[in-house]
Amino acid sequence: METAIFAGGCFWCMVQPFDSQPGIDSVDTGGHTKNPTYEDVKAHTTGHTEAVKITFDPDIISYTELVNIYWHQTDPTDAMGQFQDRGDNYRPVIFVNGPEQRRIAEASKRALHVSERFSKPIVTAIEDAKPFYPAEARHQRFYKNNPVVFAEQEAGGRVDFIAEQWADAPKVD
């Protein structure tokens, strides 16, 4: 098993697209500040970036496929948040575990830029992975455990953006 770590706005919204893929063992919400509370993170004082840590079987689903799913969930032109979620704790980042993940992530970012799918520059950061600290239990699988609040969160523009920007791309199940 391998891991991938992605940040793309509220971590609640980043679980579902990966959670249903074959070869995914787990998708955990959290980030890179040692054991903050959710209230600490929302105060924008921790330097924390909300992220998901995906444990996957590379024989079933590749890191390249995971990066592709990631792009389809975020606005890679918005460095200071995603949709209604504003601030550095919601910034888009691909956290890489080693040189091979970095090579794949950087090549994918270049390909997205060259595609001219977006009129603004691709600003998603690619950074080395840091220790990952899982979020409190109430934030794990939020989309399943709190469907009403999750739907309200998704109504903040992510769904419409994905439909508009990726309508001609293969669907991510």
Side-chain angles (χ1 to χ4, degrees):
M1 300 299 267
E2 294 182 18
T3 60
I5 301 174
F6 300 115
C10 176
F11 53 27
W12 296 341
C13 299
M14 293 297 294
V15 174
Q16 186 178 23
F18 296 101
D19 202 30
S20 61
Q21 298 299 315
I24 302 294
D25 182 61
S26 64
V27 181
D28 298 310
T29 56
H32 298 299
T33 297
K34 188 173 183 176
N35 301 321
T37 66
Y38 191 61
E39 289 70 27
D40 292 338
V41 173
K42 288 184 72 166
H44 300 279
T45 60
T46 63
H48 185 90
T49 301
E50 290 191 19
V52 292
K53 180 179 180 181
I54 301 155
T55 303
F56 67 100
D57 183 340
D59 292 332
I60 299 173
I61 189 166
S62 70
Y63 183 74
T64 300
E65 291 171 293
L66 294 175
V67 170
N68 186 50
I69 293 167
Y70 170 78
W71 291 126
H72 289 224
Q73 308 313 310
T74 65
D75 177 352
T77 69
D78 187 349
M80 283 311 298
Q82 293 291 285
F83 314 105
Q84 79 278 8
D85 299 316
R86 309 311 306 156
D88 60 344
N89 58 308
Y90 297 121
R91 68 193 179 103
V93 184
I94 298 174
F95 290 102
V96 295
N97 293 304
E100 181 62 10
Q101 284 191 1
R102 179 173 292 283
R103 183 191 65 73
I104 291 167
E106 288 178 352
S108 181
K109 183 177 176 178
R110 277 191 304 277
L112 186 58
H113 171 73
V114 169
S115 76
E116 298 182 345
R117 178 175 291 277
F118 296 95
S119 59
K120 297 188 239 173
I122 306 302
V123 297
T124 298
I126 298 173
E127 300 176 6
D128 290 336
K130 300 172 181 113
F132 184 87
Y133 299 94
E136 299 150 310
R138 65 188 168 124
H139 298 290
Q140 305 300 333
R141 301 287 184 299
F142 195 87
Y143 76 98
K144 285 184 178 179
N145 299 327
N146 298 282
V148 173
V149 176
F150 176 74
E152 291 169 358
Q153 190 74 10
E154 283 286 85
R158 186 182 301 263
V159 172
D160 293 339
F161 180 86
I162 291 168
E164 179 182 316
Q165 290 298 320
W166 298 102
D168 61 342
K171 290 249 186 229
V172 177
D173 294 330

